[in-house]
Amino acid sequence: MSASGGTKAIVAALVANLAIAVAKFVAFVFSGSSSMLAESVHSVADSGNQALLLVGGKKARREATPEHPFGYGRERYIYAFLVSIVLFSVGGMFALYEGYEKIKHPHELEHWYWPVGVLIFAIIAESFSFRTAIKESNALRGRRSWKEFVRHAKAPELPVVLLEDLGALIGLILALGGVGLALATGDSVWDGIGTLCIGVLLILIALVLAAETKSLLLGEAASTEETRKIEAAVVDGDTVTRIIHMRTLHLGPEELLVAAKIAVQHDDTATEVAAAIDAAEARIRDAVPIARVIYLEPDIYSEAEAAKGPDPEATPGGPTQPDEAH
């Protein structure tokens, strides 16, 4: 996994969550707090999620095969999507069930200092993990807002770790609030309410992650900035006069496919056109190094054809042909 995959942030989160999970389980055993049990399962699920991200990064490095000629870069998207499923089912749904049971069958908290002490420790540990994820993300985020970074990042690991750590911190505060209110009022129903809130939080984060990784799995185009660089690199004003149309697609976070029909001079020889295509490919790779798979088709630009507009039937995702309808 490349540096942009945020390996350091993943490992930091994995170590923190394993330590926190053990501490939370101990606190649950001594106190019987449902919030602590929900948070324990949450930390176990998060640890599993970080392991999934590391596995996805390793599998994505496999060489291309005849069966998968474009490689395995999208493995990272698949494993990031699995993270959202684990977070929804193991984390969110379990917390909702446990919160419901605690409200329906409340029982007094025992040894309250265990959950309070562990929650404070967990908040400190998660804060260090979150700080590492922020630091790693800032190196890639640039001037984008955090919302834009999460929405448009092509490498899924850092957004996943960021949202997980943010959710963990908020969940810990909710758990601390539930335990605190249960102790202050003598009513352990508040512990169950805190657990329900944790479940809702985890499900919301899981849905956001699922939506973002689904978009990556479907295939996203290059960013606006990268597209501008590619367009500027293709046209040399001599042999290649313009781009007639172009499509880009991320085969993985660090691998971009570029397919374009380019306009060449009508009197150029085949040798000149081939040399122009080779030169254009070299310029594209210099401008956008992740553009590793490039297909350029030469054509003669026609003002009359351009005036007709794009042909939707020749575009991926265009209208279904009558004989293809079912």
Side-chain angles (χ1 to χ4, degrees):
M1 190 186 305
S2 72
S4 62
T7 306
K8 184 178 179 181
I10 298 173
V11 172
L14 177 59
V15 172
N17 280 313
L18 286 173
I20 291 169
V22 173
K24 288 175 180 175
F25 270 122
V26 172
F28 162 70
V29 170
F30 280 96
S31 67
S33 167
S34 66
S35 292
M36 290 308 305
L37 180 57
E39 276 297 307
S40 301
V41 174
H42 177 192
S43 292
V44 171
D46 279 354
S47 300
N49 289 340
Q50 275 106 47
L52 284 173
L53 294 177
L54 291 173
V55 170
K58 183 177 180 180
K59 286 184 173 292
R61 292 196 296 267
R62 289 180 294 171
E63 295 293 331
T65 64
E67 186 178 4
H68 298 93
F70 291 112
Y72 293 86
R74 289 195 182 184
E75 288 269 16
R76 287 164 68 178
Y77 299 153
I78 293 170
Y79 279 84
F81 189 76
L82 290 177
V83 165
S84 67
I85 296 174
V86 171
L87 199 61
F88 180 89
S89 57
V90 178
M93 297 305 292
F94 176 82
L96 288 181
Y97 169 78
E98 184 64 24
Y100 169 77
E101 285 295 314
K102 187 60 180 282
I103 293 173
K104 189 175 180 181
H105 307 289
H107 59 83
E108 186 178 353
L109 292 178
E110 301 174 357
H111 306 293
W112 62 268
Y113 43 84
W114 275 99
V116 172
V118 167
L119 286 171
I120 293 173
F121 160 74
I123 289 173
I124 295 171
E126 283 290 358
S127 296
F128 278 106
S129 174
F130 193 37
R131 179 177 176 271
T132 301
I134 290 174
K135 186 177 179 181
E136 292 280 292
S137 300
N138 278 333
L140 300 173
R141 186 168 64 95
R143 297 181 179 179
R144 290 179 291 176
S145 67
W146 286 108
K147 180 180 178 181
E148 290 174 334
F149 174 71
V150 171
R151 174 64 187 86
H152 299 294
K154 305 304 181 185
E157 291 85 3
L158 280 173
V160 168
V161 174
L162 277 169
L163 288 175
E164 276 190 349
D165 284 351
L166 178 61
L169 282 171
I170 296 174
L172 289 167
I173 293 170
L174 290 172
L176 190 59
V179 171
L181 286 171
L183 292 172
T185 63
D187 187 353
S188 59
V189 167
W190 287 106
D191 187 33
I193 293 174
T195 308
L196 285 178
C197 291
I198 293 169
V200 172
L201 171 69
L202 295 180
I203 287 174
L204 289 175
I205 291 175
L207 292 175
V208 171
L209 288 177
E212 296 306 320
T213 50
K214 183 196 76 170
S215 179
L216 291 169
L217 279 170
L218 287 173
E220 290 189 356
S223 68
T224 303
E225 181 181 358
E226 288 171 336
T227 300
R228 283 198 296 264
K229 289 180 180 180
I230 293 170
E231 290 173 343
V234 170
V235 179
D236 63 0
D238 182 16
T239 306
V240 181
T241 59
R242 69 172 65 221
I243 296 173
I244 298 175
H245 63 74
M246 183 176 74
R247 300 286 185 272
T248 60
L249 178 69
H250 269 273
L251 301 174
E254 280 89 34
E255 190 165 19
L256 186 66
L257 181 149
V258 179
K261 179 174 284 191
I262 58 175
V264 297
Q265 302 288 358
H266 70 279
D267 55 351
D268 285 342
T269 64
T271 301
E272 291 171 331
V273 170
I277 290 175
D278 291 341
E281 289 179 353
R283 291 194 301 270
I284 292 172
R285 291 192 172 96
D286 286 340
V288 182
I290 66 170
R292 299 176 186 174
V293 182
I294 302 173
Y295 299 107
L296 300 180
E297 178 186 353
D299 202 350
I300 305 299
Y301 179 74
S302 167
E303 292 283 357
E305 289 297 319
K308 296 178 182 178
D311 180 5
E313 294 185 357
T315 303
T320 304
Q321 299 299 318
D323 58 348
E324 294 177 345
H326 295 285

